[in-house]
Amino acid sequence: MEPKIGLALGSGGARGFAHLGVLKVLQDEQIPVDMIAGSSMGSLVGAMFCAGHDLEDLYRLANTFRSKFFVDLTVPRMGFISGEKIKQFIKLFTHQKLLEDLKIPLSIVATDIVKAERVVFKSGPIDVAVRASISVPGIFVPEKVDGRLLVDGGVIDRVPSTVVREMGADIVIGVDVSQVKRNAEITTIYDVIMQSIDILQSEVLRYKSSTADVLMSPKVEQFGGKTFQQAADIIRLGEDEAKKALPAILESIRKWKEHQLINEK
């Protein structure tokens, strides 16, 4: 019997490209990914992967990804970016699928900004769920879904390890890419908002222990949340961290199997 392995892919803007490096190493090592839960950028990467795209193709897409793919400015009321452009991008690259149509189960985390509650999408249009999950407060206009006003999943659940555990994962691997960039160059309102969110989330994590069996933290803190043009370097750091974590992952798998054998006796 093999354990069900789930990934919890965290928020972090462009730093989330490190998730691709993690996925590539797991694939190369023939460690299956049975389910994924994602917050913010983790939801976007998870959606692309679960939609069936080859990782080599996703590497190429990441290296050509630019802000022009999602920036559609609007009159600022609840955000500067309307979000329709990125929704069309997601719809195109996920073949207009529903979450329940995916071969690899995917849960997407967003935040109800009115009720201060976590919202987990397990069904419905992928583009709507991801659009809600990546809605950085103050940058994107919140996404309205079923009467709820939704913003970035990372606001309430930076690395959604409990979500993937609830999906049925026996072993949970978390990937945290939202470290604070020290001495960051702050020149725009986007920089102010992203840096503030990173600081707030890092303080929350200091008092909230992860429920992941293995937690990776790729060393991407030198990159800002919008450094999409440096995707290749960010992906490589994800690969490096995953390779370092392989012994811990294999040990978790070994212990799970050993525990199952004991229970069967």
Side-chain angles (χ1 to χ4, degrees), residues 44-201:
L44 178 59
V45 172
M48 297 296 188
F49 179 75
C50 293
H53 288 286
D54 184 83
L55 279 170
E56 295 296 337
D57 291 337
L58 291 180
Y59 270 39
R60 284 190 285 271
L61 178 62
N63 286 317
T64 57
F65 193 88
R66 295 295 181 269
S67 59
K68 65 182 180 180
F69 292 164
F70 63 84
V71 173
D72 44 4
L73 298 177
T74 185
V75 177
R77 185 182 171 200
M78 288 194 288
F80 290 93
I81 299 175
S82 71
E84 289 305 309
K85 200 170 182 180
I86 187 65
K87 198 185 289 187
Q88 291 302 316
F89 173 85
I90 297 164
K91 187 179 293 186
L92 174 66
F93 282 92
T94 57
H95 316 298
Q96 301 187 45
K97 289 183 178 180
L98 302 176
L99 283 165
E100 57 267 37
D101 295 333
L102 297 173
K103 290 184 179 179
I104 299 175
L106 173 66
S107 291
I108 292 177
V109 178
T111 305
D112 185 324
I113 197 171
V114 176
K115 294 184 178 180
E117 293 177 348
R118 183 176 69 181
V119 176
V120 181
F121 289 92
K122 297 180 181 179
S123 61
I126 296 172
D127 60 302
V128 172
V130 174
R131 163 67 178 84
S133 187
I134 64 171
S135 298
V136 179
I139 301 297
F140 281 88
V141 174
E143 181 80 348
K144 287 186 178 181
V145 182
D146 297 331
R148 309 185 83 167
L149 203 60
L150 305 181
V151 297
D152 198 295
V155 170
I156 200 163
D157 201 350
R158 175 167 151 177
V159 182
S161 53
T162 57
V163 175
V164 78
R165 182 83 68 188
E166 290 164 2
M167 293 171 71
D170 297 309
I171 295 173
V172 175
I173 301 170
V175 188
D176 179 16
V177 295
S178 198
Q179 302 93 354
V180 176
K181 183 181 181 182
R182 307 289 177 179
N183 302 310
E185 184 179 354
I186 307 296
T187 58
T188 68
I189 188 171
Y190 183 89
D191 297 332
V192 171
I193 292 171
M194 290 300 294
Q195 183 75 351
S196 298
I197 290 173
D198 284 345
I199 293 170
L200 286 168
Q201 290 178 345

Side-chain angles (χ1 to χ4, degrees), residues 217-264:
S217 297
K219 308 306 179 186
V220 292
E221 62 272 8
Q222 70 268 35
F223 299 99
K226 61 178 181 179
T227 51
F228 296 102
Q229 69 276 14
Q230 294 174 287
D233 294 330
I234 296 170
I235 290 171
R236 187 175 65 253
L237 290 169
E239 293 175 347
D240 292 344
E241 186 67 15
K243 289 173 183 176
K244 291 178 185 176
L246 280 174
I249 295 170
L250 294 173
E251 178 64 9
S252 292
I253 294 172
R254 185 193 68 77
K255 285 183 176 179
W256 184 89
K257 289 182 176 180
E258 185 179 82
H259 183 72
Q260 293 302 115
L261 285 173
I262 292 172
N263 287 342
E264 288 174 2

